[in-house]
Amino acid sequence: MNIVIVGGTGDLGFGLGYRWAKAGHQIVIGSRQKERAMEAAGRINEMTGTQNAKGLANEDAVLEGDIVVLAVPDAARAAVLELIKPLVQGKTVVDVTIPLRFNPLRYEAPEEGSNAQQTQAVLGEGVKVVAAFHTVSAAMLENPEKEVKGDALIMGSDEEAKNTLIGLADDIGLRGFDAGSLLNARTVEGLTPMIIGMNKRYKRGHIGIALTGI
Ligand SMILES: NC(=O)c1ccc[n+]([C@@H]2O[C@H](COP(=O)([O-])OP(=O)(O)OC[C@H]3O[C@@H](n4cnc5c(N)ncnc54)[C@H](OP(=O)(O)O)[C@@H]3O)[C@@H](O)[C@H]2O)c1
């Protein structure tokens, strides 16, 4: 399965790309600069001992797969959505972004209810938006010494797309769960300020969440 990661040179995108490439998936790292994408893909290939990753400019990368992960900072999101909108119709777009605000650190949802719902509104009904991986630490994914642990709450309206992402979470050692529709994305996106605060208080970099009784 070809998985495209827009912003795959960054922490979370790189970490997901590394883990998926290690699990045998074909990864296309996207960047504003093709050279940066190629460099990140080269590092993934070196770390995994495979040739499973390649790098392209974002707009070329999104043409290469049916699953497109949007792994850019919240401030870059609007412009990136406009760039990819005509290129991702009919595809699955995985929104991992979180609208964080600072001083004090907090979650501030857009008027659509969450970033994922706004992404769906901007890209239109022709795109299957899935919200995922908000509570999964990039520091854990990127570090080959760390075992991947934790639960991934996956949300979306397209059952097939959601199940694909649950499988992709399982493939890298997480436990993927169906957490319902995008209406729940606000709840899960909103956990991040708490997790960042706990990482500071407990002097950790990779706190995640785990469900019980399931
Ligand atoms: N870090 C985590 O542990 C974590 C966990 C869960 C969710 N998230 C969410 O995942 C998203 C990515 O987080 P991150 O920590 O990986 O971010 P990041 O490393 O700061 O940025 C990711 C990539 O986005 C691209 N980018 C930066 N500014 C851009 C702009 N103005 N326009 C287009 N692309 C731009 C950059 O790639 P190029 O310069 O190569 O284009 C950068 O490498 C965020 O929304 C974050 O809230 C992060």
Side-chain angles (χ1 to χ4, degrees):
M1 186 184 307
N2 266 9
I3 308 169
V4 177
I5 308 177
V6 174
T9 56
D11 290 325
L12 187 67
F14 183 86
L16 287 169
Y18 160 54
R19 296 293 176 170
W20 279 324
K22 195 174 167 204
H25 294 293
Q26 300 297 309
I27 303 304
V28 185
I29 296 289
S31 166
R32 287 169 292 180
Q33 290 172 38
K34 184 180 177 187
E35 296 70 27
R36 273 172 60 74
M38 289 172 66
E39 186 276 330
R43 268 190 294 138
I44 288 176
N45 288 336
E46 213 167 280
M47 287 163 76
T48 57
T50 70
Q51 289 297 315
N52 289 348
K54 71 173 179 180
L56 289 171
N58 283 329
E59 55 273 37
D60 296 325
V62 293
L63 301 175
E64 298 262 326
D66 288 329
I67 298 182
V68 177
V69 182
L70 182 66
V72 297
D74 183 54
R77 215 174 120 264
V80 172
L81 285 176
E82 285 310 318
L83 174 78
I84 68 170
K85 180 175 177 172
L87 309 172
V88 295
Q89 296 302 314
K91 301 187 187 220
T92 296
V93 168
V94 184
D95 194 339
V96 304
T97 69
I98 300 152
L100 289 180
R101 301 293 177 263
F102 301 91
N103 300 316
L105 181 68
R106 62 196 187 278
Y107 174 71
E108 224 170 79
E111 64 180 22
E112 289 83 353
S114 62
N115 267 10
Q117 286 166 287
Q118 188 179 63
T119 292
Q120 184 73 75
V122 171
L123 296 180
E125 291 306 314
V127 176
K128 294 163 265 184
V129 175
V130 176
F133 305 120
H134 307 92
T135 60
V136 179
S137 150
M140 171 183 72
L141 294 173
E142 283 179 307
N143 185 344
E145 313 273 302
K146 293 247 180 273
E147 185 189 349
V148 175
K149 284 187 190 161
D151 292 350
L153 300 175
I154 316 285
M155 292 145 287
S157 310
D158 187 284
E159 296 301 317
E160 198 184 335
K162 194 162 46 177
N163 283 333
T164 300
L165 265 296
I166 290 170
L168 287 174
D170 293 344
D171 286 350
I172 61 175
L174 297 164
R175 297 194 310 168
F177 290 109
D178 182 345
S181 77
L182 293 184
L183 286 173
N184 293 333
R186 180 189 182 100
T187 305
V188 184
E189 290 177 8
L191 291 172
T192 294
M194 179 191 79
I195 293 174
I196 293 173
M198 292 182 73
N199 272 322
K200 285 191 185 139
R201 282 193 292 284
Y202 287 91
K203 301 192 176 15
R204 292 281 184 274
H206 51 274
I207 291 175
I209 61 154
L211 304 176
T212 62
I214 191 155

